Amino acid sequence: MKPRVLIAVAAAGLALLPALALAAAQTHGGPPPVEGMPQLAFGHPEQGRYLVANVVWLLIIFGVLYLTMAQVALPRVESVLAERRARIEGDLEQAQASKQRADAALAEHQAATAKARAEAQAAIAGATQQAQAEAAQKAEALNARLNAQIGEAERRIAASRDQAMSALRSVASDAAEAMVSRLTGGADRAVVEQAVTAELAARGRA
């Protein structure tokens, strides 16, 4: 048997000794027992004799129980508590290490995200500037081509207008000369052209 089991059995046996002695005294025709707590029956001829013995046995049993608790139970409890404390501290250390790794990973992720965002913004800004520059160049080239086309069209229009005005002046001079010749019987070509030119200039067609 284990030592702590033997100690428990011995303590139980010691605790039963006063009761066995009291029962033996009663079987030999002793006085009836006192009602209540027999340990306090100081004047009883049988039970009063066991008061000191009860106190002694109480101290012995208390000492045995104290030694049992101090040598067997409490060390086991202390070892269990120490093991649990060590396990909790290990778990806390692991949790702290995991938290530190998670914080480091989060910081690295945030740094990578910020870097990627900055690179994307820089790329977008560069592409925008390049597109604006290309658009400005294209717009400038288009404006130059349109201006050239407009100038050429204006020159053609001016030439056509001059040709039309020359033809109109000639036709008007011929018609005026014919009318004057029919009315007066003769007309000066230079005077007629001068009069037609003055009339066209007055009307804004010269």
Side-chain angles (χ1 to χ4, degrees):
M1 297 177 66
K2 295 183 179 179
R4 57 176 178 270
V5 177
L6 293 175
I7 294 173
V9 173
L14 292 175
L16 291 175
L17 284 178
L20 293 175
L22 181 60
Q26 291 176 0
T27 55
H28 288 83
V34 178
E35 297 293 334
M37 297 182 67
Q39 295 86 353
L40 301 180
F42 299 105
H44 195 275
E46 296 294 337
Q47 293 177 343
R49 293 182 302 171
Y50 298 108
L51 177 61
V52 177
N54 287 334
V55 173
V56 173
W57 283 110
L58 177 63
L59 294 176
I60 293 173
I61 294 171
F62 179 78
V64 171
L65 291 176
Y66 176 79
L67 291 176
T68 303
M69 294 294 294
Q71 298 297 326
V72 179
L74 292 180
R76 288 182 57 84
V77 173
E78 180 65 23
S79 64
V80 171
L81 292 177
E83 182 181 357
R84 183 179 180 184
R85 187 183 304 110
R87 186 169 61 252
I88 292 174
E89 290 178 355
D91 294 341
L92 290 176
E93 291 177 356
Q94 292 180 359
Q96 186 68 23
S98 300
K99 183 178 182 299
Q100 291 177 356
R101 289 194 298 270
D103 293 340
L106 179 60
E108 183 178 358
H109 174 70
Q110 291 177 349
T113 303
K115 182 179 179 181
R117 186 182 296 110
E119 291 177 353
Q121 291 178 353
I124 292 173
T128 302
Q129 292 178 357
Q130 183 178 0
Q132 290 177 351
E134 293 177 355
Q137 292 177 358
K138 292 180 180 179
E140 185 177 358
L142 180 61
N143 290 331
R145 186 167 63 251
L146 291 176
N147 290 331
Q149 292 177 358
I150 291 172
E152 182 65 23
E154 288 178 349
R155 286 192 295 272
R156 288 199 300 269
I157 291 171
S160 299
R161 185 184 61 187
D162 293 339
Q163 291 178 1
M165 291 302 296
S166 298
L168 179 62
R169 186 181 299 108
S170 177
V171 172
S173 296
D174 292 341
E177 182 180 3
M179 290 177 63
V180 171
S181 296
R182 182 175 295 180
L183 293 174
T184 60
D188 188 356
R189 180 71 179 183
V191 175
V192 172
E193 289 181 355
Q194 184 177 3
V196 171
T197 301
E199 182 66 21
L200 292 175
R203 295 186 179 186
R205 297 181 180 180

